Amino acid sequence: DLQGILQAAQTNDIEADVEPMTVAAHSPIMDAYREEFTKQFGSDVSLTRRAPGFSSVSAGLHPEGPLTPDYWWNAIREPVMMQQTFEAMMASGVSIFVEIGGRSSFGPILRDAGRACSCEIHVIPSMSVDSSVQTGMDAAFQELNRIFAVAASR
């Protein structure tokens, strides 16, 4: 049962939460939508990654180049490997993460990954569901000030 899993995670100092979902993304249920998705996305959409970036599907560095409908389909359909992706990013030297969105989903995963690799991690949430944009920006600026203070003390 879900509550038992959450309780076991908390007992073991693992941050866990239930994410409200209305669609079964990253599962075989999505396969029925592939043709429609790639057709709607179309080849006329020209998105190009101008620098290498990390992919949460491969948990590694994705080269610069076109982001095709197949690339985006895989991002929707394949399992997301956030923990492994964050660990790869930290291993490459990334230590500051800005999470843009209405709910801080990745902060706990980032902190766990940072502890696992003994990395100093800074997570800057842009806002939360329960706060205004101003409150979110205030929190982001507080974290940035803390990062600058740590950097200045070195």
Side-chain angles (χ1 to χ4, degrees):
D1 94 63
L2 191 54
Q3 289 305 319
I5 293 169
L6 287 173
Q7 189 173 19
Q10 292 167 351
T11 300
N12 290 294
D13 256 357
I14 299 170
E15 292 188 46
D17 198 2
V18 176
E19 293 291 328
M21 301 295 289
T22 58
V23 65
H26 312 296
S27 76
I29 293 170
M30 295 299 294
D31 290 344
Y33 301 100
R34 181 180 185 140
E35 185 178 336
E36 180 182 343
F37 175 84
T38 53
K39 186 172 104 181
Q40 290 294 323
F41 197 90
S43 60
D44 60 330
V45 176
S46 178
L47 298 174
T48 301
R49 187 186 299 261
R50 300 196 188 285
F54 286 87
S55 165
S56 62
V57 173
S58 67
L61 204 55
H62 186 275
E64 55 187 278
L67 299 176
T68 65
D70 285 336
Y71 170 85
W72 292 110
W73 175 255
N74 287 336
I76 291 171
R77 170 57 180 89
E78 297 301 319
V80 175
M81 298 188 291
M82 294 312 296
Q83 179 88 19
Q84 297 91 331
T85 303
F86 293 148
E87 288 170 359
M89 293 171 80
M90 290 172 204
S92 76
V94 175
S95 64
I96 298 174
F97 297 84
V98 177
E99 183 172 3
I100 300 172
R103 183 179 171 106
S104 181
S105 302
F106 298 133
I109 299 169
L110 284 163
R111 285 186 278 282
D112 287 345
R115 280 192 292 273
C117 72
S118 299
C119 299
E120 183 178 352
I121 300 302
H122 302 279
V123 180
I124 304 170
S126 62
M127 67 186 96
S128 73
V129 171
D130 300 327
S131 70
S132 68
V133 172
Q134 185 60 49
T135 302
M137 293 306 295
D138 289 346
F141 284 123
Q142 281 182 331
E143 182 62 17
L144 282 171
N145 284 330
R146 194 175 73 73
I147 292 168
F148 291 135
V150 168
S153 69
R154 291 185 177 172

